[in-house]
Amino acid sequence: MPRTSTKVLTYGGNYAKNKYKENELKREYCEEARKYGALPLLPGQKPRHVTVIMNPAARDSEGRKLFEKHAAPLLHLAGLQVSIVKTEHEGQTKELMAVISDTDAVVIAGGDGSLCEAITGLLRRPDDDQTIKLPIGICPVGKTNTIARRMLRGDLSDIRLLGDSMLAVIREETQTFDVLSIASDQGKPVFALAEIQWGPLRDAAEKASKYWYLGPLKKRATYVISSLKEWPQYARGKLSYVLPCEGCSKCFKSPPPPPPQRWWQSFLKTENNTKGIVFALKTQ
């Protein structure tokens, strides 16, 4: 058999094998989601309402297809009431999160940028002490999905990453994350979870979609054109930070020491003395 035919057959065999594994994996996710959809509701209980805010431009418009193919079916199989809102411009996720209500959870279908917009819109609200309790799910269909991969701990394929993320929404599994608060000249803070991007490179990357007709060269062309139009490029800023403390003495105030005891109080069976004796016996 010619060598070319062998390569074609090998590629075809690997492709069929990978497709079979993907279909088996999707079947497992569907069966798991169907278990939650089969659970009966109590009298008067309504299905859990999940609002999906989707960035249709995520991953060069491939994110919408990934959501519809691999994520949305799991939510419907689990018996959730799903409302989908598609954003039309940059910053709209922030605007929607500033007014969203009457939902049990929000799922952000996009990348790290969409997620940071959602966090910023939510924490800028005057009632942030209440809205901060609103669970935010991640449907990682963007180019960068740092937070989702950090939560799921692994270099997962798209199908497994989407499946695990949706099952976390269905099971109501939550994790807490620290949030960065960045003060701006406009007086409104910006919040971030993973990283902060600022400067000419970030500004140029936002314009890459304008050069869609250049195909795979649009990113490189964006940086070159931006450099030629705006040279020299610079960004001014002021960074301040607090050095880490040596211990907990600066962050935590220890309780005052107990009053000194009289010599005769050691013979009395008080609550404090009993605890001290028990603790001493445990440590011996």
Side-chain angles (χ1 to χ4, degrees), residues 206-242:
E206 293 296 322
K207 305 173 184 178
S209 58
K210 294 172 55 178
Y211 305 102
W212 58 269
Y213 50 85
L214 296 177
L217 298 177
K218 65 180 181 181
K219 287 186 178 180
R220 298 180 183 271
T222 301
Y223 297 132
V224 174
I225 295 173
S226 298
S227 298
L228 294 176
K229 286 184 176 180
E230 304 172 6
W231 186 265
Q233 295 189 359
Y234 63 91
R236 294 180 178 178
K238 181 180 179 181
L239 176 65
S240 61
Y241 60 94
V242 178

Side-chain angles (χ1 to χ4, degrees), residues 91-99 116-118 120-122 124 190:
Q92 191 174 10
T93 300
K94 194 186 309 177
E95 298 170 1
L96 292 172
M97 292 299 293
V99 297
C116 287
E117 280 193 20
T120 299
L122 189 68
R124 280 184 181 178
V190 177

Side-chain angles (χ1 to χ4, degrees), residues 166-184:
M166 291 302 96
L167 286 184
V169 174
I170 294 169
R171 295 168 177 165
E172 300 184 73
E173 298 175 348
T174 59
Q175 296 184 32
T176 56
F177 272 86
D178 294 329
V179 178
L180 297 174
S181 177
I182 303 100
S184 61

Side-chain angles (χ1 to χ4, degrees), residues 118-215:
I119 298 297
T120 299
L122 189 68
L123 295 183
R124 280 184 181 178
R125 295 173 59 150
D127 58 342
D128 59 344
D129 57 337
Q130 297 296 325
T131 56
I132 198 173
K133 301 176 184 178
L134 179 67
I136 298 180
I138 306 174
C139 181
V141 295
K143 289 183 179 180
T144 55
N145 305 294
T146 308
I147 298 299
R149 294 189 180 278
R150 188 178 300 173
M151 291 176 63
L152 299 175
R153 296 181 179 87
D155 187 14
L156 307 178
S157 63
D158 285 340
I159 294 178
R160 189 174 291 277
L161 186 64
L162 287 169
D164 289 349
S165 299
M166 291 302 96
L167 286 184
V169 174
I170 294 169
R171 295 168 177 165
E172 300 184 73
E173 298 175 348
T174 59
Q175 296 184 32
T176 56
F177 272 86
D178 294 329
V179 178
L180 297 174
S181 177
I182 303 100
S184 61
D185 295 336
Q186 290 77 15
K188 293 184 178 180
V190 177
F191 297 92
L193 290 175
E195 60 184 5
I196 304 171
Q197 294 183 352
W198 175 58
L201 286 177
R202 194 267 180 188
D203 296 340
E206 293 296 322
K207 305 173 184 178
S209 58
K210 294 172 55 178
Y211 305 102
W212 58 269
Y213 50 85
L214 296 177

